[in-house]
């Protein structure tokens, strides 16, 4: 069971403030707020604060609002599918964007995009990029993703991580974590290596993530 918000909702957001599991969301374009049925713990707090009585338990939905149950669930399906995972298509676009920037600047780089677990989705090595740059780029992407950070911060803040660089923990700028819109989870990362300096690598990585702005 879960609570469901109906179209009566006036979008004042009171319920969001009280929900203990943060499962009530909306987007600027959506007509109302929605409850994630997979997360709702039926605590009833939202029902108590709603000024217009827009919230019902799913099994008690009035007939004219039966559709709301599917609307609430569908909102989260759509949002999770689109935003919470980096698709192969998006990863390739990020690589192309990072490479386009590198080409303009005269760098020859490898670019790797990983998912939220640090596993590669797509990798590339431009003509002329050094052979080792691909593995370096992967390590940067992996590190940024698992540590939720850009790898330059790693270098500054966690010298000890460098020690592990024979594994996959990589210090040095050129990796960026990608946060989902939906909650604060890391959904992936991009790593670039092969340019003259780490900062140049980082600029390429930043160019790559601009692709995500176009998607929103
Ligand atoms: S019933 Fe509780 S957990 Fe469910 S949406 Fe309302 S406030 Fe959140
Ligand atoms: S409190 Fe009620 S009206 Fe306000 S956003 Fe939540 S469901 Fe909508």
């Amino acid at each position: 069971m879960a609570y469901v918000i109906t179209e009566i909702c006036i979008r004042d957001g009171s319920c969001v403030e009280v929900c203990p599991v943060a499962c009530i969301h909306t987007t600027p374009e959506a007509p109302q707020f929605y409850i994630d049925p997979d997360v709702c713990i039926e605590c009833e707090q939202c029902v108590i604060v709603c000024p217009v009585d827009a919230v019902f338990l799913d099994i008690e939905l009035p007939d004219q609002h039966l559709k709301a149950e599917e609307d609430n669930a569908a909102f989260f399906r759509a949002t999770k599918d689109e935003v919470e995972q980096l698709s192969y298509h998006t990863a390739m676009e990020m690589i192309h964007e990072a490479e386009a920037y590198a080409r303009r600047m005269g760098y020859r780089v490898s670019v790797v995009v990983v998912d939220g677990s640090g596993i590669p989705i797509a990798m590339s090595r431009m003509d002329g990029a050094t052979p080792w740059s691909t593995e370096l780029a992967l390590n940067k992407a992996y590190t940024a993703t698992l540590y939720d950070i850009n790898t330059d911060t790693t270098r500054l803040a966690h010298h000890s991580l460098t020690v592990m660089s024979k594994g996959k923990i990589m210090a040095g700028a050129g990796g960026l974590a990608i946060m989902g819109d939906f909650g604060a989870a890391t959904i992936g990362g991009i790593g670039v290596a092969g340019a003259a300096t780490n900062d140049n690598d980082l600029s390429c990585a930043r160019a790559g993530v601009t692709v995500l702005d176009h998607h929103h």
Side-chain angles (χ1 to χ4, degrees):
M1 283 195 299
Y3 279 81
V4 173
I5 299 177
T6 61
E7 63 189 358
I8 301 166
C9 173
I10 56 168
R11 293 181 54 107
D12 73 323
S14 307
C15 53
V16 176
E17 309 282 319
V18 298
C19 178
V21 292
C23 70
I24 307 176
H25 296 271
T26 190
T27 59
E29 308 80 41
Q32 61 167 85
F33 279 63
Y34 302 93
I35 293 172
D36 187 340
D38 295 338
V39 183
C40 172
I41 56 169
E42 297 122 42
C43 73
E44 223 179 338
Q45 295 303 309
C46 52
V47 180
I48 295 166
V49 298
C50 181
V52 293
D53 297 331
V55 193
F56 298 87
L57 191 58
D58 50 9
I59 55 170
E60 292 169 0
L61 270 171
D63 281 350
Q64 71 271 32
H65 295 302
L66 284 178
K67 201 169 88 47
E69 184 175 355
E70 172 55 20
D71 288 348
N72 279 241
F75 174 82
F76 290 92
R77 269 203 305 278
T79 315
K80 281 174 186 166
D81 285 352
E82 279 173 29
V83 183
E84 290 295 272
Q85 287 174 29
L86 274 183
S87 67
Y88 169 71
H89 178 75
T90 303
M92 288 305 292
E93 283 186 333
M94 290 169 67
I95 286 179
H96 289 148
E97 199 67 33
E99 283 184 348
Y101 176 81
R103 214 169 286 117
R104 277 203 302 283
M105 301 299 292
Y107 310 148
R108 299 195 170 147
V109 297
S110 286
V111 187
V112 177
V113 177
V114 298
D115 67 16
S117 314
I119 296 167
I121 301 170
M123 355 188 26
S124 77
R125 174 154 64 100
M126 291 170 72
D127 291 338
T130 57
W132 43 261
S133 57
T134 314
E135 193 180 349
L136 216 58
L138 169 61
N139 289 349
K140 289 178 180 185
Y142 176 90
T143 304
T145 304
L146 293 209
Y147 291 85
D148 270 14
I149 34 165
N150 108 36
T151 46
D152 192 39
T153 323
T154 320
R155 184 182 52 188
L156 298 175
H158 303 287
H159 285 290
S160 58
L161 289 180
T162 332
V163 178
M164 298 161 72
S165 66
K166 286 206 186 65
K168 275 186 176 168
I169 310 299
M170 179 68 211
L176 291 172
I178 300 159
M179 313 301 267
D181 275 356
F182 199 76
T186 309
I187 59 170
I190 180 170
V192 177
T197 70
N198 278 331
D199 285 344
N200 295 346
D201 288 336
L202 185 60
S203 302
C204 297
R206 285 197 205 290
V209 297
T210 60
V211 164
L212 298 166
D213 299 336
H214 312 156
H215 282 204
H216 301 153

